[in-house]
Amino acid sequence: MGKQVNLYSFPSVDTLATALRSYLISCQEAGLERHGVFKVGVSGGSLPKTLAQALLAPAKDESDKVKWESWEIFFADERAVPLDHEDSNYALLKKELLDKLPQGTPQPTVHTIDESVLDDTQELADRYEQTLVRSFASRDSVKLPIFDLLLLGCGPDGHTCSLFPGHELLRETEAWVSPIEDSPKPPPRRITLTLPVVTHAVRVAFVATGSGKKEIMKDIFEEGKGLPCALVNEATGERCSWFVDNAAVEGVSYPKRPFSL
């Protein structure tokens, strides 16, 4: 067993956001050093709002600068809806973060789904996989894309991306992106990164806040129970960091550690 997952707990979302920014800048710099670009996958839910709080704050100095022009943003999962639909993860990220970038800020590259094939989730997944192939090198030469960072949320049932507990998609080993037609959480039709892609990222960060998360956090960190979030923890070990507020981990016995880079 490798080193353990990092569980960072903060007294408030404000202090969490400050630490998350430091972590993101560190991942950004590592990506730029590795290949001149920062490739990050994001999910939806409450994450974009916390991300905005972390990233829209003014830079303290040059070393704290978000180099947006170097960011290549992908979606860890997306709903099979138009990009301006309220259920779209892209629409959520746009509303919470992208539209709030100060005027004159260089824009990140954002890879959205192909709206022309919303009626066919398999085709939607295939086309998004091709987007990854174009960015991460040809499919033949790369077994799996390696993101610099995946920023994920944790559902109250322990799901992450659109990988749900007990779902057959958790056993997918070949595809990079898979369709799901029967999501237990609406809307039912979605696409998602597969578990091998998630666990091959250089770094994975989960953000979970609020007392509504404490029961599932106990399950993930103490029982495992084959929950998707627990599977990511097990496969990534110290490459995985959880940014949580104290309310989300009240009563969780897993050791929290002070945040440091």
Side-chain angles (χ1 to χ4, degrees):
M1 180 75 184
K3 290 190 181 172
Q4 286 185 313
V5 169
N6 306 298
L7 180 58
Y8 301 125
S9 183
F10 302 90
S12 67
V13 176
D14 288 350
T15 50
L16 183 160
T18 302
L20 182 62
R21 182 192 179 98
S22 299
Y23 177 83
L24 288 165
I25 298 288
S26 167
C27 292
Q28 165 191 276
E29 294 307 305
L32 292 176
E33 196 170 307
R34 194 176 297 114
H35 45 208
V37 67
F38 180 43
K39 298 190 182 201
V40 56
V42 299
S43 54
S46 57
L47 177 71
K49 191 169 188 176
T50 311
L51 261 187
Q53 195 174 338
L55 293 172
L56 295 175
K60 295 194 288 285
D61 53 40
E62 199 60 29
S63 68
D64 185 46
K65 204 170 163 196
V66 183
K67 298 170 182 169
W68 288 113
E69 68 279 8
S70 302
W71 284 49
E72 208 175 320
I73 299 174
F74 299 83
F75 292 90
D77 67 322
E78 184 56 285
R79 290 82 181 276
V81 296
L83 294 173
D84 59 357
H85 191 282
E86 62 178 9
D87 286 334
S88 162
N89 283 341
Y90 166 74
L92 183 63
L93 187 73
K94 183 174 184 293
K95 181 179 108 180
E96 295 287 359
L97 176 63
L98 302 175
D99 286 350
K100 294 178 181 174
L101 291 176
Q103 200 168 1
T105 303
Q107 295 298 303
T109 301
V110 182
H111 296 283
T112 58
I113 56 168
D114 184 342
E115 285 183 294
S116 71
V117 290
L118 290 176
D119 291 339
D120 183 342
T121 48
Q122 182 64 62
E123 184 63 22
L124 195 66
D126 289 347
R127 292 201 186 183
Y128 206 67
E129 181 167 303
Q130 285 306 310
T131 300
L132 296 185
V133 168
R134 285 191 294 274
S135 177
F136 286 90
S138 69
R139 187 76 158 86
D140 294 339
S141 65
V142 178
K143 181 156 171 44
L144 289 163
I146 298 178
F147 282 90
D148 295 311
L149 174 65
L150 287 176
L151 282 162
L152 306 176
C154 161
D157 58 353
H159 86 265
T160 192
C161 306
S162 283
L163 298 168
F164 291 91
H167 198 281
E168 62 184 1
L169 262 188
L170 292 172
R171 297 190 293 276
E172 175 60 55
T173 56
E174 293 300 317
W176 293 2
V177 182
S178 282
I180 175 167
E181 302 271 352
D182 56 352
S183 163
K185 182 183 171 190
R189 300 171 61 254
R190 305 159 171 235
I191 64 167
T192 183
L193 295 181
T194 58
L195 192 59
V197 171
V198 173
T199 60
H200 271 73
V202 177
R203 294 264 181 274
V204 177
F206 284 94
V207 177
T209 57
S211 59
K213 293 281 165 73
K214 65 184 181 186
E215 293 307 323
I216 197 64
M217 290 294 285
K218 279 184 201 169
D219 287 344
I220 292 165
F221 278 92
E222 294 172 17
E223 307 283 335
K225 294 185 175 176
L227 294 168
C229 287
L231 295 175
V232 176
N233 280 355
E234 288 159 18
T236 53
E238 64 181 329
R239 291 183 288 123
C240 184
S241 298
W242 284 74
F243 291 81
V244 302
D245 62 359
N246 292 345
V249 286
E250 186 189 338
V252 175
S253 62
Y254 185 91
K256 294 100 183 159
R257 57 183 69 175
F259 175 73
S260 65
L261 288 171

